[in-house]
Structure formats: C-alpha cells, structure tokens
Amino acid sequence: MSQGAGLSFEQAPPFSVPLRFLLTAPLFLAAAGGLVAFHPEALASRWTAPALALTHALTLGFLAMVMLGALMQMLPVVAGATLPAPRALAAITHVGLTLGTLALLAGFLFADALAWLAALGLLATALGVFLVASAAALMRAVASDTVRGIRLAWVGLAATAGLGVALAASRAGWTTLPDVAAAIDAHALVGLLGWVLLLVIAVAYQVVPMFQLTPPYPPRLARWLAAVLAAALLLRAGAILLPPGGVALIDGVLAAGVLVFALATLRLQAQRRRRLADVTLDYWRIAMASLVAAVMAWGAARAWPAWAGHDAYPLLLGVLFLGGFAVSVVNGMLYKIVPFLAWFHLQAQLQARAGSIPTMKEMISQRAMRGQFRLHVAACLLLAGALAWPPLAVPGGVAMAASALWLAANLASAVRRFRAFGGRWA
Amino acid sequence: MKDPAGEIVLDARGLEPPEPMERVLQALALLRPGQTIRLLLHREPFPLYPLLAQRGYGHATRRDADGSYVILIHPLATEAG
Ligand code: HEM
C-alpha cells in the first residue's frame, strides 16, 4: 500500500539529463557506418585498427551512451534510487564519454600517443564517476529482479572498463600486461555478455511486459538467469585457472543462457494481449532472432574446427551480437524512451488538459520509424553478407550510417514537437 | 465505503503506456465533487503520481491477490474537509 505523492519519480531528473546522451548516440552509430564505408577492411579481420575502432564506436559511442543516459533516468523511477547531483553527473559523464570515445577511435586508427592519453583520462573519469555515483544509488535501491540484474551489469561495466584501461595503457606502451591475449578475451567477453547482455536482460524484465503487454517472464527464470550468466562469466574470465574441459562446459552454459533468454522473450511476445503493429516490438524480435543466430554460429564452430578458425567467424558473431542484437534493442527502446519523456515532461510542465498536447504515439511519425527500421535490417543483412562477399561492405556501411542519421532525425522530431508545444529543458 | 455511484471505474489493463495515464488525466476533467476514480492496472503507475499531486489529487494504491493494482484517486481538498 502506498499513499500520497511522495514517490521517487518526483526526483526524476530534468529532460536534458538523459536527452543529451540519447541524441548523441545516433551520431556515433552513423560514424560507425562511415568507418565501414571508408575502411571496408574493418570487416576482413577483427584485429585491424578500423575493426577495433568500429567495435568501440558501437559499444561505447552508441550502446554505453544510451545505456548510461537511460540508467540515469531509470534508476530513480524503477528502483527508487536517486543519483547525486544529476545535472553535474550527466555533464561530466556525457562530455567525458563523447570526447573519450572520439579519442579512443583516434588512438586505434592513428596509433597516436596523445590520443591514447586523452582517451584514458577521459574514459576513466567518465566511467569512474558514473560507476561511483550509480553504486551509491544501486546499494540503496529496492531489490527486485531488475535491480539485481542491473547490479550484476554494473560489475560487468566496472570490469570491462578496468580491463579496457589496462589494455589501452599497454597499447600505448606505458605498461606491459602479463597475458595480453587473456586480458583481451576477458575484456571482450565481459563487455559484451556481462555488461551489454545482462543489462538488456534486467531491463527486459520490466519493459517487455510493460510496452508489449505480454505476460511477465517466468519468476524462476527472472530470478536465476542473470546470476547464472554472471557466475559463468566470472569463471570464464579466469579461464587460465580452469581445467581444459571446464572452458567448454562454461561456454555451453553461457550459450544456453543466451538461448533461454532469446526464446523466452520471443515466446512472451507471441502471447501478447494486444496485437497492434509496433516498431519497437519488431526491433526486439530482430534482436532475439540475432541472438539465436549467434548461438547457432557458435554451435557450428564447436562442430567444425575449420569454421572456428576462419576469420569470418568472430566477425559474424560481432555483426550478429552488436548490430543484430544490441543496436536493434537499443534503437527500438529509443523509440519508446524519447517519445515517453517528451510527452511526460510536456504534461508535467504545462499541466496540460487532455487533448491539448500530442499523445506519446504522435511524437514521432510511425511511417518514419518503420522506414528507418527497414533500413536498419537491410544494413545488418548487408554487413553479414559482406563477410562472405566483401563488396557488400561499402553499401552495408552506407546503409548503417543512413539508418543512424534517420534515427537521429526521428528522435529530433520528437524533441522539436516538445519545444513547439512549449516544453522547457529545466 | 464509498458509494459506487460516486466512482468512475477505469479499467486500463491491457493498454499500452502511457495510455492509462492519458485516460486518467481525461477522467479528472469529468470528475464531479465527491467523486473518485478507481483505476485498474497490471503494474504500478509510478510516473502518474507526481502528475496527480501537481493537479491536487491524492491516491491510494493496493495490490490485489491476482497481481493487478487498484489505484483510488481523489481530490486532496475533499479528503481534508
Ligand atoms: C564498456 C564497453 C566496452 C565494450 C563492450 C568493449 C568491447 C571490446 C571488444 C569486443 C573488444 C575486442 C575487439 C575485437 O575482438 O575485435 C575490445 C578490445 C579492446 N578494448 Fe574495449 N570495450 C569497451 C570499453 C573499452 C574501454 C573503456 C577501453 C579503453 C579505455 C577499451 C579498450 C580496448 C582495447 C585497447 C582493446 C583492444 C586490445 C588490443 O587489440 O590490443 N574498451 N573491446
């Protein structure tokens, strides 16, 4: 039983706090597309400089940018966990992440010492400040399956950032790591599964039933999935300590966990209570299908060692996981978060009468979102195809950049509507 | 117990957010003195509460055995009087 109005949402941050992240992110996605278009060799081997720059334009510039901005909005609301000094926190994190990611891309592309120095300082500050501020909030938060999942993802981000900084320092020549290959493996695995996937799972528990009107996730799955994945990742990251058979076993647990999440989500979506067309729903479906495809590609590599050793194998996992899964989920969620916040802040600021402001659905043209979705799917298919037939890389990169710019324009149209009806930033 | 006639029942289960909130804000305009709104939902509408408070309404939320929520919405002034 709750009484009165003293609920946490009143301490929710001003619109500008999440919005600056959400509007910057598509520009990095466009930059990632541009990178592929100008350096198609990014898709030839994962160890080329453009491939590493591409990975981080996506993981830091797009995914982390949206995720940190959305967490600043979401922690106070779903967890009752207010962040200290939200405006200053947003400013430091946003500027640091933006400039730091640009410097990191420059570091990879031009192997420039000054760029590495700037990247290290800026990213360590931005992520460090965010991690400290959110740790305080997460410790106070009311525990739920979502909050427990976000806590595990927090650990994943901290570990990924720590390893990333150590790797960058070793690339710049300031330290030597005892086992660089093991550190890269751990950084990539924990970054993709321990941070990105665990966060998406934790958030899915809330947003899939809420926006897609599905039944809730089965309670036992919601209770255990993230914890099992996190435990497996911890063991896997310390793989050097495992007996030979242990790694294969743990990889199997990780793959099974990914598959369970994807299939459970697709099944819930098939049971939704209202069957209206919805772009975000389609984004989620593409995302879950990509996860299933990624697990299949992984399974094929277990069966055929020649495929496991092929250059295209890790790149296909990357295209499926980052482009097909993570970018799709985040892109789909942006189409809920930005229109909702525009509607909510307008409603709260104007105390508007019903009918005098646009509804959430009117904030972005449905046709424009649908068109952008199709272009995104085309880009993913072209990029995956480019792994088999390289001439597809350039059109794939162009399609990705165009779809990102279209996304930016669609989000900007919601913000323009917000302003046109008298919305203020404060 | 409130007279059921003094109540507007709003079953918003199965509506996509923020439609339940939009419906409540519409219903507030129709509320006559002494009337309350009984909102039925599948989840707790946290973002609705500050919008209500701002407009001078209070709420009482209860979770039913089947997991759905019942939110009673009333003008704050009449409660005090
Ligand atoms: C937080 C999200 C991050 C994710 C998801 C992520 C993901 C990855 C992945 C998947 C790789 C392997 C690339 C490949 O196999 O082609 C990688 C490599 C690398 N990452 Fe990150 N990363 C993140 C953050 C960072 C940060 C903050 C830094 C530095 C400050 C960093 C520095 C590096 C370096 C230096 C390498 C390459 C190591 C080498 O080849 O020498 N990463 N990262």
Side-chain angles (χ1 to χ4, degrees), chain A residues 112-130:
Chain A
D112 177 75
L114 199 62
W116 283 113
L117 186 65
L120 278 179
L122 289 161
L123 288 173
T125 306
L127 297 173
V129 166
F130 174 81

Side-chain angles (χ1 to χ4, degrees), chain A residues 30-298:
Chain A
L35 254 169
V36 178
F38 286 105
H39 294 280
E41 75 272 22
L43 294 179
S45 152
R46 63 186 278 204
W47 301 120
T48 59
L52 290 164
L54 173 62
T55 307
H56 292 85
L58 293 173
T59 56
L60 286 172
F62 184 69
L63 299 174
M65 188 72 77
V66 174
M67 288 170 162
L68 298 193
L71 278 174
M72 286 187 197
Q73 173 66 39
M74 195 183 153
L75 285 176
V77 184
V78 298
T82 48
L83 293 163
R87 275 171 219 271
L89 176 64
I92 295 172
T93 311
H94 174 250
V95 172
L97 187 60
T98 303
L99 298 180
T101 304
L102 288 173
L104 185 67
L105 304 187
F108 280 126
L109 289 173
F110 312 119
D112 177 75
L114 199 62
W116 283 113
L117 186 65
L120 278 179
L122 289 161
L123 288 173
T125 306
L127 297 173
V129 166
F130 174 81
L131 284 165
V132 170
S134 56
L138 279 169
M139 277 194 296
R140 285 195 309 269
V142 188
S144 65
D145 292 324
T146 293
V147 168
R148 277 186 286 268
I150 295 178
R151 284 180 182 147
L152 293 172
W154 184 98
V155 176
L157 178 61
T160 308
L163 286 163
V165 166
L167 284 169
S170 105
R171 272 211 162 214
W174 297 320
T175 55
T176 39
L177 296 175
D179 188 342
V180 175
I184 295 176
D185 264 4
H187 169 75
L189 197 70
V190 175
L192 299 179
L193 299 186
W195 156 241
V196 175
L197 179 71
L198 286 187
L199 189 64
V200 170
I201 290 178
V203 170
Y205 295 159
Q206 290 281 328
V207 301
V208 168
M210 174 158 67
F211 283 114
Q212 295 157 19
L213 302 165
T214 72
Y217 281 83
R220 261 196 307 184
L221 182 149
R223 184 79 184 75
W224 291 109
L225 182 59
V228 168
L229 283 170
L233 278 169
L234 189 67
L235 291 172
R236 185 64 175 80
I240 332 168
L241 309 173
L242 289 174
V247 172
L249 182 71
I250 295 197
D251 283 351
V253 171
L254 288 172
V258 172
L259 203 56
V260 163
F261 171 64
L263 294 178
T265 303
L266 287 169
R267 180 152 170 268
L268 288 181
Q269 288 169 338
Q271 299 170 348
R272 67 199 195 283
R273 285 193 283 269
R274 242 176 23 163
R275 299 180 169 273
L276 298 179
D278 181 55
V279 177
T280 299
L281 171 68
D282 294 338
Y283 262 118
W284 273 86
R285 289 177 150 170
I286 288 288
M288 295 305 119
S290 301
L291 276 187
V292 174
V295 172
M296 282 163 55
W298 172 86

Side-chain angles (χ1 to χ4, degrees), chain A residues 4 7 273 336 347-348 352 360, chain B residues 16 18 42 49 53-55 59:
Chain A
L7 264 143
R273 285 193 283 269
K336 292 291 181 206
Q347 189 65 256
M360 174 176 152
Chain B
E16 189 187 322
H42 278 302
Y49 300 152
Q54 230 185 11
R55 288 167 165 77
H59 68 273

Side-chain angles (χ1 to χ4, degrees), chain A residues 354-375:
Chain A
S356 65
I357 62 166
T359 65
M360 174 176 152
K361 281 204 155 58
E362 291 161 352
M363 286 288 172
I364 303 178
S365 142
Q366 302 289 326
R367 276 191 48 207
M369 291 192 286
R370 178 63 58 188
Q372 190 269 337
F373 169 73
R374 296 205 173 108
L375 190 53

